[in-house]
């Protein structure tokens, strides 16, 4: 039986800003930009009381909380702190699976401290994080990733919650479906339309019915409703794609200016490609128009892209085919994916006609 810990930093970006700026402490803070096209990257707990959430348009956030204080993000600072926290994790186990800068799974079934209690390890890690960074974290402890992640969110902020093996099924039965991993607004609405509101409702449906309703995710829902999750903590997360995008303050319809913007985005992507040593074969350009209609155009090359020139040449070629006649552009993005080895070259064969 595994012992899994999920560590989730509390309002990470906003907490860093409040830590570093005394004038922000105890006040509603949003990390992001307050411009018309701005989006909230993170919100302090003081801001969340007004209904401000991450990914919310800045204008909406401001309408919910007129006293909201916007702070520009400092991702270099967040990354540096995240690495310091990760170093703490590695003192206990090499099985660490980072999900983002502010959360990670740890498998402490066997750990370097020889401590049989995952709960005591989680408490100690929380104390170490605070002593090292001055920031609070919440921890969830259980026998698998699904339960540990739910547990970490159960008593936020600064929480520690344990779901014991014998309690798992009963605990899950009482959850709202919105608390299940992978259940967003669209899926939750579909579940509600089919009379599924809780974990118990999910548990009462057959695997076949859930797969019919939700595809492959239906099997995951079927297992999770019974507290089952066999996924292992993966210390090395495979990079599947690298991308970058920007939302303009004003819509643009000038192809030359958009191509220049795409060039700068491509440069940033290639820097990350070289840093991650990730060489894909597929280039994708993403365009969101003023009416929010989104299109993507891709081209797959026969060989992996190992330099900026072929990457940019392909991206520019794709961009030239994008229609700009009907709507100006609100968002522009570019990415590279598909790192699979190129197929072997087949020997040429002479065709015969009969």
């Amino acid at each position: 039986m595994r012992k899994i810990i999920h560590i989730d930093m509390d309002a990470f970006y906003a907490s860093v800003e409040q830590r570093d700026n005394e004038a922000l402490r105890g006040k509603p803070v949003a990390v992001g930009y307050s411009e018309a096209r701005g989006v909230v990257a993170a919100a302090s707990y003081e801001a969340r009381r007004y209904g401000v959430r991450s990914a919310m348009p800045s204008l909406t956030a401001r309408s919910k909380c007129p006293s909201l204080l916007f702070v520009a993000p400092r991702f270099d600072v967040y990354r540096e702190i995240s690495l310091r926290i990760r170093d703490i994790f590695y003192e206990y186990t090499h099985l660490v699976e980072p999900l983002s800068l502010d959360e990670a799974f740890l498998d402490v079934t066997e750990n370097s401290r020889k401590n049989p209690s995952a709960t005591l390890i989680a408490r100690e890690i929380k104390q170490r994080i605070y002593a090292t960074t001055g920031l609070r974290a919440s921890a969830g402890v259980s026998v698998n990733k699904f339960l540990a992640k739910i547990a970490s969110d159960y008593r936020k902020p600064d929480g520690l919650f344990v779901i014991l093996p014998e309690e798992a099924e009963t605990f899950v039965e009482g959850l709202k479906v919105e608390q299940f991993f992978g259940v967003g607004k669209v899926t939750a609405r579909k579940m509600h339309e089919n009379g599924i509101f809780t974990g118990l409702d999910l548990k009462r449906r057959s695997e076949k019915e859930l797969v019919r309703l939700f595809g492959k995710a239906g099997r995951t829902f079927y297992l999770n409703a019974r507290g089952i999750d066999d996924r292992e903590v993966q210390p090395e997360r495979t990079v599947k794609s690298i991308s970058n995008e920007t939302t303009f303050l004003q819509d643009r319809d000038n192809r030359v200016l958009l191509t220049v913007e795409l060039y700068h985005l491509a440069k940033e992507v290639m820097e990350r490609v070289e840093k991650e040593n990730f060489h894909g074969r597929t280039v994708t350009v993403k365009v969101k128009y003023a009416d929010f209609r989104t299109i993507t155009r891709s081209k797959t090359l026969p060989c992996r892209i190992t330099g900026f020139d072929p990457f940019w040449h392909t991206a520019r070629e794709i961009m030239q085919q994008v229609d700009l006649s009907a709507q100006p552009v609100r968002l522009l993005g570019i990415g590279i994916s598909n790192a699979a080895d190129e197929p072997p070259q087949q020997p040429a064969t002479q065709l015969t006609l009969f």
Side-chain angles (χ1 to χ4, degrees):
M1 186 174 293
R2 297 191 184 109
K3 299 177 182 180
I4 308 297
I5 300 173
H6 181 255
I7 299 288
D8 194 1
M9 300 302 297
D10 298 329
F12 183 46
Y13 299 169
S15 295
V16 171
E17 300 304 332
Q18 289 179 316
R19 182 199 68 173
D20 294 348
N21 186 345
E22 189 174 351
L24 299 176
R25 295 173 192 170
K27 297 181 180 178
V29 174
V31 176
Y33 299 98
S34 59
E35 291 90 349
R37 293 290 177 83
V39 175
V40 174
S44 68
Y45 281 97
E46 295 85 355
R48 295 182 188 187
R49 296 190 189 107
Y50 291 87
V52 178
R53 295 288 184 268
S54 60
M56 177 179 286
S58 297
L59 291 181
T60 303
R62 179 76 75 186
S63 68
K64 289 179 175 290
C65 180
S67 61
L68 188 63
L69 301 173
F70 278 88
V71 182
R74 298 182 295 157
F75 290 109
D76 55 338
V77 175
Y78 309 147
R79 290 190 188 96
E80 188 272 332
I81 296 172
S82 178
L83 291 174
R84 289 164 60 192
I85 293 171
R86 204 169 297 174
D87 286 341
I88 295 174
F89 298 159
Y90 286 123
E91 293 182 24
Y92 294 84
T93 176
H94 69 282
L95 294 177
V96 177
E97 180 181 344
L99 302 179
S100 61
L101 292 180
D102 62 344
E103 62 175 319
F105 285 113
L106 290 74
D107 187 332
V108 295
T109 311
E110 297 180 2
N111 58 84
S112 57
R113 299 299 175 93
K114 307 298 182 184
N115 190 334
S117 172
T119 304
L120 292 180
I121 291 175
R123 180 175 289 117
E124 188 174 315
I125 287 175
K126 277 166 49 66
Q127 294 169 346
R128 292 280 309 282
I129 290 174
Y130 183 72
T132 303
T133 68
L135 300 170
R136 299 290 184 183
S138 291
V141 182
S142 196
V143 294
N144 60 47
K145 292 163 75 171
F146 167 68
L147 294 171
K149 185 169 175 61
I150 288 176
S152 69
D153 196 46
Y154 205 67
R155 287 186 178 159
K156 272 183 164 289
D158 196 22
L160 172 57
F161 191 73
V162 181
I163 301 176
L164 298 174
E166 61 270 21
E167 301 170 345
E169 276 201 67
T170 302
F171 182 85
V172 172
E173 287 176 1
L175 294 175
K176 296 179 180 179
V177 292
E178 289 84 351
Q179 294 175 270
F180 279 64
F181 179 74
V183 178
K185 290 183 179 180
V186 175
T187 303
R189 184 163 57 247
K190 186 173 182 179
M191 286 186 174
H192 293 169
E193 291 170 353
N194 285 275
I196 303 172
F197 297 90
T198 67
L200 181 58
D201 294 333
L202 268 178
K203 190 176 178 180
R204 287 171 171 164
R205 304 302 177 97
S206 69
E207 180 180 351
K208 183 178 180 180
E209 181 181 4
L210 292 176
V211 169
R212 178 178 60 81
L213 289 171
F214 305 106
K216 288 172 57 178
R219 172 165 171 74
T220 300
F221 297 149
Y222 175 84
L223 295 172
N224 288 172
R226 290 156 176 76
I228 300 171
D229 181 4
D230 294 329
R231 294 174 302 156
E232 296 181 356
V233 171
Q234 300 288 344
E236 294 294 335
R237 292 175 61 84
T238 304
V239 177
K240 295 184 178 180
S241 65
I242 294 177
S243 62
N244 193 15
E245 64 183 38
T246 185
T247 300
F248 304 122
L249 293 177
Q250 293 183 330
D251 299 333
R252 299 185 181 184
D253 59 4
N254 185 297
R255 188 177 296 275
V256 173
L257 294 179
L258 286 168
T259 302
V260 170
E261 191 67 44
L262 188 69
Y263 176 85
H264 293 298
L265 291 171
K267 276 287 189 182
E268 294 179 18
V269 168
M270 185 52 61
E271 288 178 5
R272 291 172 55 195
V273 163
E274 293 172 349
K275 182 178 179 180
E276 298 280 353
N277 194 29
F278 174 87
H279 299 291
R281 297 192 297 126
T282 300
V283 179
T284 301
V285 172
K286 174 183 175 182
V287 173
K288 180 182 288 186
Y289 293 105
D291 61 359
F292 287 88
R293 182 171 59 92
T294 302
I295 65 167
T296 58
R297 298 290 183 266
S298 301
K299 182 175 182 179
T300 298
L301 303 183
C303 301
R304 293 179 179 181
I305 300 169
T306 57
F308 180 74
D309 287 345
F311 178 47
W312 171 238
H313 175 79
T314 305
R316 186 173 57 184
E317 185 179 283
I318 296 171
M319 188 64 194
Q320 289 171 348
Q321 300 171 7
V322 173
D323 181 18
L324 301 177
S325 61
Q327 286 277 343
V329 173
R330 172 189 176 90
L331 175 148
L332 184 64
I334 184 173
I336 185 169
S337 60
N338 188 12
D341 289 330
E342 57 268 22
Q345 294 292 327
Q346 298 293 328
T349 57
Q350 177 67 48
L351 297 179
T352 58
L353 299 178
F354 295 95

